């Protein structure tokens, strides 16, 4: 199941992947997702965490979607990678890694783990962007408090 705020993104995803078995896409806001609570074994969000401002309500919304014991996987680039991109001056949130891990623990996730993935530098509109990827995983506790 793919969820996106943007109708355009959902239409694109549907066009490219909608024919696959057991794959479907829905438009909606994570904070009020049109999906059943406790239904997800895994939630994967790649390059989305920057949009969640403030962060905590989004993490709470993910915990609501995950079944007990379900796993969240966040993929992102770290703050240094993003600092040079002009678009990131416009209200996006960036993370070093430990700060996001702490936020996940504060939201009630457990077994928070981080992998650092160095990437090749790229040229974005004339600016060299040094990139470091982070993959952070965390579990929704088996027994909810
Ligand atoms: C930078 S794109 C990442 C897309 C893809 N995962 C990738 O890595 O190429 C971020 C996406 O998150 C979606 N998004 C941001 N906030 C959202 C929210 N609260 N609920 C649902 N989707 C959201 C945006 O509409 C956008 O399509």
């Amino acid at each position: 199941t793919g969820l996106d705020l943007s109708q355009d993104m959902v239409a694109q995803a549907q066009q490219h992947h909608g024919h696959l078995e057991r794959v479907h896409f829905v438009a909606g806001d994570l904070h009020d997702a049109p999906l059943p609570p406790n239904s997800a074994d895994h939630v994967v969000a790649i390059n989305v965490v920057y949009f969640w401002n403030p962060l905590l309500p989004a993490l709470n919304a993910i915990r609501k979607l995950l079944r007990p014991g379900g796993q969240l996987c966040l993929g992102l680039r770290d703050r240094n990678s993003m600092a040079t991109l002009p678009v990131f001056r416009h209200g996006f949130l960036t993370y070093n890694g430990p700060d996001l891990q702490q936020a996940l623990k504060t939201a009630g996730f457990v077994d928070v783990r981080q992998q650092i993935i160095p990437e090749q530098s790229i040229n974005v509109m004339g600016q060299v962007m040094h990139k470091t990827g982070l993959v952070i995983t965390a579990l929704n506790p088996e027994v909810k408090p």
Side-chain angles (χ1 to χ4, degrees):
T1 302
L3 171 75
D4 202 291
L5 199 52
S6 158
Q7 293 277 2
D8 289 346
M9 288 301 108
V10 171
Q12 285 282 321
Q14 185 62 35
Q15 192 183 324
H16 290 287
H17 306 292
H19 62 282
L20 296 170
E21 243 179 85
R22 298 177 63 215
V23 168
H24 69 282
F25 301 97
V26 288
D29 189 336
L30 168 67
H31 297 87
D32 187 23
L35 298 168
N38 296 320
S39 64
D41 295 318
H42 302 272
V43 169
V44 179
I46 311 293
N47 288 323
V48 191
V49 68
Y50 328 111
F51 291 77
W52 298 332
N53 189 1
L55 176 63
L56 194 57
L59 297 183
N60 289 338
I62 292 171
R63 277 199 64 200
K64 206 171 128 192
L65 288 177
L66 281 170
R67 66 161 170 78
Q71 188 184 48
L72 168 64
C73 176
L74 295 174
L76 65 150
R77 294 210 170 96
D78 74 357
R79 180 172 293 138
N80 281 342
S81 307
M82 296 314 208
T84 52
L85 288 185
V87 69
F88 273 83
R89 291 182 205 128
H90 299 286
F92 293 99
L93 297 184
T94 56
Y95 299 94
N96 290 322
D99 45 4
L100 185 51
Q101 291 178 62
Q102 185 53 54
L104 285 159
K105 289 174 195 166
T106 302
F109 284 93
V110 296
D111 198 13
V112 179
R113 296 169 191 225
Q114 174 180 281
Q115 242 184 296
I116 298 175
I117 301 176
E119 299 176 68
Q120 281 188 340
S121 300
I122 53 164
N123 193 312
V124 180
M125 292 183 288
Q127 281 184 299
V128 177
M129 179 185 171
H130 301 288
K131 295 184 298 174
T132 301
L134 303 175
V135 175
I136 298 183
T137 58
L139 296 181
N140 196 25
E142 282 289 349
V143 180
K144 292 190 180 181

